[in-house]
Amino acid sequence: MLKTVLLVISGIVILTLAVILVLAAMKPDTFRVERSVTIHAGPEKIYPLIADYHAWRAWSPFETDPAMQRSYGGAESGAGAVYEWDGKGVGSGRMETLEASTARIVIKLDFFKPFRTTNKASFTLEPQGADTKVTWVMEGPVTFLPKIMHVVFNMDKMVGGEFDKGLAKLKAVAEK
């Protein structure tokens, strides 16, 4: 009797793992998270809040760890600016601005912990009369281990929710 129960449980566990692995193999090799907000301010007022990593503390949803260690290098802001961090809740990583104008900012985003990966983040600032539509995008490759995690966790909802919070704060700061 006990042997039969253990065999059934083992079979269910093996089948569950097989289904997860098959679902993971079917996931795309890249991801893209995109969120937008309309801000009642011109790009010239919003641009410095994004192009200068020192200003991110006022609006970024990833700046909540009071013990996070930060360092800045390269240019003061815009192309060539570098920001590195190490914190408990946000892991560690490095951002480097590759391209910067009042229309578009492109950032190379390297994560070291909890997982090593390189992604690209970008912000587009599209004037719409007296307003500006700001779009925040993060995209990058997805290897097999993260694909397994994506079977259970929805990357778009997790990261997208943080982007929504950050864009709401950016809007509040820019509209002051």
Side-chain angles (χ1 to χ4, degrees), residues 17-172:
L17 289 174
V19 167
I20 290 172
L21 292 175
V22 167
L23 290 173
M26 295 170 49
K27 292 285 184 185
D29 293 332
T30 61
F31 79 94
R32 180 181 173 94
V33 177
E34 178 177 327
R35 295 294 190 274
S36 297
V37 69
T38 299
I39 299 175
H40 187 64
E44 66 284 343
K45 184 164 184 187
I46 301 164
Y47 170 81
L49 297 171
I50 302 169
D52 182 352
Y53 291 126
H54 297 88
W56 283 47
R57 291 180 88 168
W59 64 268
S60 173
F62 306 108
E63 291 285 337
T64 58
D65 179 357
M68 186 165 66
Q69 300 295 310
R70 299 167 179 86
S71 64
Y72 304 90
E76 186 66 26
S77 69
V82 174
Y83 173 52
E84 296 184 41
W85 72 91
D86 188 10
K88 288 185 181 183
V90 294
S92 66
R94 180 181 191 272
M95 294 190 293
E96 180 177 355
T97 305
L98 303 176
E99 176 187 327
S101 71
T102 55
R104 181 173 160 89
I105 299 164
V106 178
I107 299 167
K108 179 182 177 203
L109 181 55
D110 294 312
F111 292 101
F112 307 131
K113 287 193 265 181
F115 300 102
R116 187 171 281 277
T117 188
T118 297
N119 298 319
K120 181 176 89 173
S122 64
F123 294 85
T124 55
L125 289 74
E126 181 183 341
Q128 298 181 332
D131 297 336
T132 303
K133 179 181 177 186
V134 177
T135 302
W136 188 357
V137 174
M138 183 170 69
E139 54 195 341
V142 182
T143 58
F144 194 71
L145 181 60
K147 284 182 183 186
I148 293 171
M149 293 180 359
H150 289 188
V151 170
V152 180
F153 300 105
N154 185 312
M155 176 81 159
D156 185 74
K157 285 184 182 174
M158 288 187 334
V159 176
E162 294 301 307
F163 281 16
D164 287 332
K165 289 178 194 173
L167 289 170
K169 284 183 180 179
L170 180 64
K171 177 181 173 76

